[in-house]
Amino acid sequence: ETGVTQTPRHLVMGMTNKKSLKCEQHLGHNAMYWYKQSAKKPLELMFVYNFKEQTENNSVPSRFSPECPNSSHLFLHLHTLQPEDSALYLCASSQVPGTLSVYGYTFGSGTRLTVV
Amino acid sequence: EDKVVQSPLSLVVHEGDTVTLNCSYEVTNFRSLLWYKQEKKAPTFLFMLTSSGIEKKSGRLSSILDKKELFSILNITATQTGDSAIYLCARNQAGTALIFGKGTTLSVSS
């Protein structure tokens, strides 16, 4: 375990469903991130939260809605998704927003999302 | 245009071979370059490079940064099947989160 836990591991949802992805870190980090990983594409940054405040939204469609109630928890709420949104969604955390410790980011194992 | 470019995108080698993976990046507000290994799901940290010309080493893996030519290489000597993975390169720049390349998929056959 990396110290960053994502649930569920796998999710299959219809285009009209609403679901949420959860990320929890027990590392005392202050910054949390959502990345999307699709086949043959780089990891795409979606959202950044520093000390619970959203500091980056990388032109993500509004059908993805993040929530960060505290520095340890991060959610990604999903609604009316498209099949092209099927991907691995990775959560990461880091110790200090804007700079990195010697260990960089710590990633969770991801949620494999399939939209049907 | 990609900000972090990795090559090759995929590579197949035999056990015992030595491989070199490449990563080039844009210079804007550069702070450091990172390498990660992704086997199944979670990318795991390998190296962070901030200074040019200083090699970082961990077992059979080593990496070096060239800030003049804007690239880094990751070397793996005496490859093993357990080295099969996607190797990700990421750039850390001021004011934003890590920007990743597409990764190099390495397959090591026995």
Side-chain angles (χ1 to χ4, degrees):
Chain A
E1 290 297 330
T2 65
V4 178
T5 303
Q6 289 188 243
T7 55
R9 288 290 186 94
H10 300 273
L11 178 62
V12 179
M13 60 185 289
M15 289 190 282
T16 58
N17 291 157
K18 288 185 181 180
K19 295 286 184 184
S20 296
L21 310 184
K22 180 181 176 182
C23 177
E24 187 173 356
Q25 57 95 2
H26 305 283
L27 301 169
H29 289 171
N30 296 309
M32 296 186 78
Y33 313 84
W34 280 117
Y35 281 87
K36 175 184 177 184
Q37 188 174 34
S38 306
K40 298 183 181 178
K41 286 188 176 181
L43 263 74
E44 299 171 53
L45 178 67
M46 300 177 73
F47 301 104
V48 180
Y49 277 83
N50 292 330
F51 294 102
K52 304 189 299 177
E53 299 298 320
Q54 186 181 126
T55 55
E56 273 192 69
N57 176 337
N58 205 25
S59 302
V60 180
S62 60
R63 57 186 184 270
F64 294 91
S65 174
E67 180 190 359
C68 188
N70 54 61
S71 293
S72 299
H73 294 85
L74 185 64
F75 296 89
L76 188 62
H77 303 300
L78 316 170
H79 66 96
T80 59
L81 294 192
Q82 304 298 311
E84 59 265 28
D85 297 322
S86 298
L88 180 67
Y89 288 84
L90 289 163
C91 173
S93 67
S94 69
Q95 191 166 27
V96 180
T99 60
L100 291 178
S101 74
V102 66
Y103 300 110
Y105 289 8
T106 302
F107 283 88
S109 295
T111 295
R112 174 68 63 185
L113 174 68
T114 304
V115 181
V116 297
Chain B
E1 184 177 333
D2 289 347
K3 296 180 178 180
V4 178
V5 179
Q6 292 187 245
S7 64
L9 292 181
S10 65
L11 191 55
V12 180
V13 300
H14 291 107
E15 265 191 320
D17 288 351
T18 293
V19 298
T20 298
L21 310 182
N22 304 291
C23 176
S24 62
Y25 62 91
E26 288 183 355
V27 73
T28 311
N29 296 323
F30 175 83
R31 281 189 171 168
S32 59
L33 194 114
L34 293 89
W35 285 96
Y36 285 83
K37 178 182 181 183
Q38 186 178 22
E39 290 180 79
K40 291 181 180 177
K41 294 285 184 72
T44 53
F45 174 81
L46 292 175
F47 298 111
M48 178 190 284
L49 304 158
T50 53
S51 300
S52 212
I54 298 174
E55 185 183 53
K56 292 217 172 176
K57 214 168 159 58
S58 175
R60 296 175 294 103
L61 277 67
S62 63
S63 185
I64 198 161
L65 179 69
D66 186 325
K67 290 170 79 171
K68 183 179 176 186
E69 300 297 330
L70 307 181
F71 77 90
S72 173
I73 60 171
L74 175 68
N75 277 323
I76 309 175
T77 58
T79 52
Q80 302 171 358
T81 54
D83 296 326
S84 297
I86 300 173
Y87 290 84
L88 299 167
C89 172
R91 183 184 68 136
N92 177 32
Q93 67 180 85
T96 189
L98 291 181
I99 304 299
F100 285 84
K102 290 182 181 178
T104 294
T105 300
L106 174 65
S107 299
V108 181
S109 60
S110 56

